[in-house]
């Protein structure tokens, strides 16, 4: 898969993971695990990139005697998810067009 496409997909996945409520690194990985495997180093690179792009904000809070970073999606992050969903519809349409011959061959 094209590295830029994969990077964009992972960014949107991380945004979607915190869309409903603020979350922290380990929980984000845990929430995404049924859908895709993501290492901590990859996740924190994505989180930093999204923070720099103003798609999420970070706050630090104490939890169990330790400091934990919580991530919150911004309006720009929500817009990124909506943009992805709109573009995905177009990609699905292109995919159906490209594979329509495959579907015909599978039915014969």
């Amino acid at each position: 898969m094209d590295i830029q496409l994969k990077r964009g997909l992972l960014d949107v996945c991380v945004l979607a993971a915190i869309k409903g409520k603020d979350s922290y690194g380990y929980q984000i990985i845990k929430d995404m695990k049924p859908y895709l495997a993501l290492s901590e180093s990859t996740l924190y690179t994505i989180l930093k990139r999204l923070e720099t792009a103003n798609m999420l904000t970070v706050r630090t809070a104490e939890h169990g005697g330790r400091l934990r970073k919580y991530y919150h999606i911004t309006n720009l992050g929500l817009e990124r998810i909506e943009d992805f969903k709109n573009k995905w519809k177009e990609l699905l349409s292109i995919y159906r067009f490209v594979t329509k011959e495959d579907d015909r061959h599978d039915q014969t």
Side-chain angles (χ1 to χ4, degrees):
M1 176 182 291
D2 176 68
I3 191 72
Q4 291 297 341
L5 177 60
K6 186 173 183 179
R7 183 172 153 180
L9 291 172
L10 291 175
D11 286 1
V12 172
C13 288
V14 170
L15 289 169
I18 62 172
K19 182 179 173 185
K21 63 181 169 100
D22 293 0
S23 193
Y24 55 96
Y26 177 75
Q27 186 63 49
I28 294 168
I29 290 172
K30 189 174 165 186
D31 290 344
M32 293 175 70
K33 194 171 189 172
Y35 307 99
L36 63 111
L38 193 64
S39 70
E40 284 185 44
S41 61
T42 300
L43 173 64
Y44 288 109
T45 300
I46 293 168
L47 290 169
K48 188 63 180 166
R49 182 171 54 244
L50 293 172
E51 180 185 7
T52 300
N54 296 315
M55 292 188 196
L56 57 82
T57 57
V58 183
R59 69 177 169 83
T60 303
E62 189 174 329
H63 179 80
R66 297 176 52 198
L67 291 179
R68 180 183 280 173
K69 286 185 176 184
Y70 287 87
Y71 299 90
H72 174 81
I73 193 167
T74 64
N75 286 335
L76 197 57
L78 292 170
E79 289 172 16
R80 176 65 182 97
I81 292 173
E82 289 306 310
D83 182 53
F84 167 80
K85 291 188 318 192
N86 290 330
K87 287 180 180 172
W88 193 254
K89 290 176 190 174
E90 183 180 352
L91 286 173
L92 284 175
S93 179
I94 293 167
Y95 175 82
R96 284 198 258 339
F97 175 76
V98 169
T99 60
K100 70 182 177 188
E101 291 298 320
D102 296 342
D103 291 339
R104 288 187 197 145
H105 287 40
D106 289 343
Q107 293 175 359
T108 56

